[in-house]
Amino acid sequence: MNQQLTAYVNGRFTPLEDATIHIEDRGFQFADGIYEVVACFAGTFLDLQPHLERLQRSCEGVRIPLPCSLEEMATLVQETYKRNPFEDAMVYIQITRGAAPRSHLPQGELTPTLIITSRNLPKPSDAKLASGVKAITLQDIRWKHCEIKSIALLASVLGKQEAALKNADEAFWLDEEAHVLEGCATNILAIIDGVLVTHPLDHQVLGGITRNMAIRVAKEHGLSVEERPWKLTESGLTEAMMSSTTNAVMPIYCINEQIIGDGKPGKTTMQIRGWMLEAMDALRRA
Ligand code: PDD
């Protein structure tokens, strides 16, 4: 399709290059907003309802009123996709508290800003999939509400820069006891003694929709799953993978120069990825 993208901004569809927001939007001035990223395969969304429910929880978490009902949001998301109908699409939804003269305390009743865009879902390269990715770890410097999908992503931007400087694709945050929490834009799961292990859902990690999908397909295929704090030093660690809407699961072969398993994409990781891709193909045929 031609690359002229159409965005939804506060009740109107407009060419992306003409889409603008007020300079006193609180999203711009305070990162006072939340967002979602949803994948769509040949017109069928993957887990749209869980994404919208997380959007609602994020809004509640920062006391921004939802600008419309979840049903209306689903319609707007579908409408935005239809105007940018990529075979594999990534729909971005952002809600901020709205525009007002700059004051930390929000004054009066503000009208939330809602924007939605749809663009091509980037595909991980075959080379990356064949080798897996390299990652680093960093001490967690983020705020204490990572379960909220906040647009305040400066720590994640710095983490990604730090990773790139070391030729790595992702940085994973560690808590004070060196438990592995999640990445700058991904969750992380490991195979430890044959069990799929990932940090439990709490304020230190985002409840990734893809993380849930990985857990779901693993259980469906008889794998054991444990949601518990874990460390890179555990002796039974043989595989690691990161999950996100844009990656499904992606194998990790090296973290901080520590080679994971035999340094190749893990067998179980690739099985989980295969099961997830089958589910995505089923959506394409739906
Ligand atoms: N990021 N953890 C963090 C900190 C994230 O930013 C993301 C997603 C995830 C994975 O969530 P999900 O499986 O629901 O995509 C975990 C999105 C894709 C982004 O910021 O672009």
Side-chain angles (χ1 to χ4, degrees):
M1 65 171 277
N2 87 40
Q3 294 298 299
Q4 170 75 282
L5 298 175
T6 298
Y8 173 88
V9 185
N10 290 332
R12 288 187 8 182
F13 288 97
T14 140
L16 187 75
E17 61 263 34
D18 300 335
T20 52
I21 294 292
H22 199 285
I23 64 161
E24 290 191 307
D25 191 276
R26 295 181 59 91
F28 182 55
Q29 295 194 326
F30 295 107
D32 187 359
I34 57 92
Y35 75 107
E36 268 302 322
V37 181
V38 197
C40 182
F41 300 100
T44 309
F45 282 88
L46 176 61
D47 287 335
L48 179 57
Q49 193 56 26
H51 277 282
L52 294 179
E53 285 166 11
R54 186 172 67 184
L55 182 81
Q56 181 170 32
R57 286 197 302 279
S58 294
C59 275
E60 285 166 3
V62 296
R63 299 197 195 100
I64 293 178
L66 259 185
C68 58
S69 70
L70 291 193
E71 294 73 45
E72 286 161 340
M73 189 70 77
T75 305
L76 289 175
V77 163
Q78 267 142 3
E79 194 54 42
T80 308
Y81 167 76
K82 280 189 199 138
R83 290 164 192 254
N84 308 273
F86 293 95
E87 178 67 12
D88 290 358
M90 175 175 82
V91 173
Y92 177 81
I93 311 166
Q94 179 174 315
I95 301 171
T96 72
R97 200 177 304 276
R102 187 176 181 281
S103 147
H104 287 69
L105 180 66
Q107 307 280 348
E109 292 263 308
L110 300 184
T111 306
T113 299
L114 170 61
I115 65 163
I116 309 175
T117 57
S118 167
R119 43 177 26 115
N120 194 36
L121 177 71
K123 244 205 190 133
S125 73
D126 290 341
K128 278 268 154 74
L129 274 170
S131 63
V133 297
K134 198 174 155 210
I136 61 166
T137 58
L138 294 172
Q139 211 54 48
D140 195 2
I141 54 163
R142 303 170 304 159
W143 75 327
K144 294 194 171 72
H145 275 297
C146 299
E147 79 283 8
I148 297 172
K149 205 161 168 55
S150 153
I151 59 170
L153 291 172
L154 195 48
S156 304
V157 170
L158 295 178
K160 280 281 191 188
Q161 281 180 330
E162 209 51 49
L165 284 173
K166 295 188 170 137
N167 278 325
D169 290 279
E170 178 62 301
F172 293 105
W173 303 111
L174 302 181
D175 74 6
E176 271 159 19
E177 277 101 54
H179 296 118
V180 189
L181 301 172
E182 66 171 342
C184 295
T186 58
N187 290 109
I188 178 166
L189 306 93
I191 302 292
I192 303 176
D193 295 320
V195 176
L196 181 65
V197 177
T198 189
H199 196 278
L201 294 182
D202 63 13
H203 64 282
Q204 300 175 100
V205 297
L206 180 73
I209 308 294
T210 322
R211 170 192 180 280
N212 284 355
M213 185 182 188
I215 291 174
R216 188 169 71 234
V217 298
K219 284 184 178 165
E220 279 166 11
H221 288 82
L223 281 181
S224 303
V225 177
E226 276 178 28
E227 296 179 56
R228 64 161 174 89
W230 63 279
K231 293 186 182 178
L232 285 169
T233 47
E234 293 190 37
S235 60
L237 174 70
T238 51
E239 301 183 27
M241 69 199 88
M242 61 188 196
S243 72
S244 73
T245 297
T246 45
N247 279 295
V249 297
M250 172 63 98
I252 304 165
Y253 76 92
C254 175
I255 304 181
N256 296 337
E257 313 306 327
Q258 173 185 341
I259 297 293
I260 309 291
D262 60 4
K264 300 204 175 81
K267 202 170 126 261
T268 312
T269 300
M270 293 314 276
Q271 267 180 330
I272 293 173
R273 181 174 168 84
W275 297 327
M276 293 170 80
L277 295 192
E278 272 169 30
M280 290 167 191
D281 272 339
L283 292 182
R284 283 193 189 95
R285 293 190 301 269

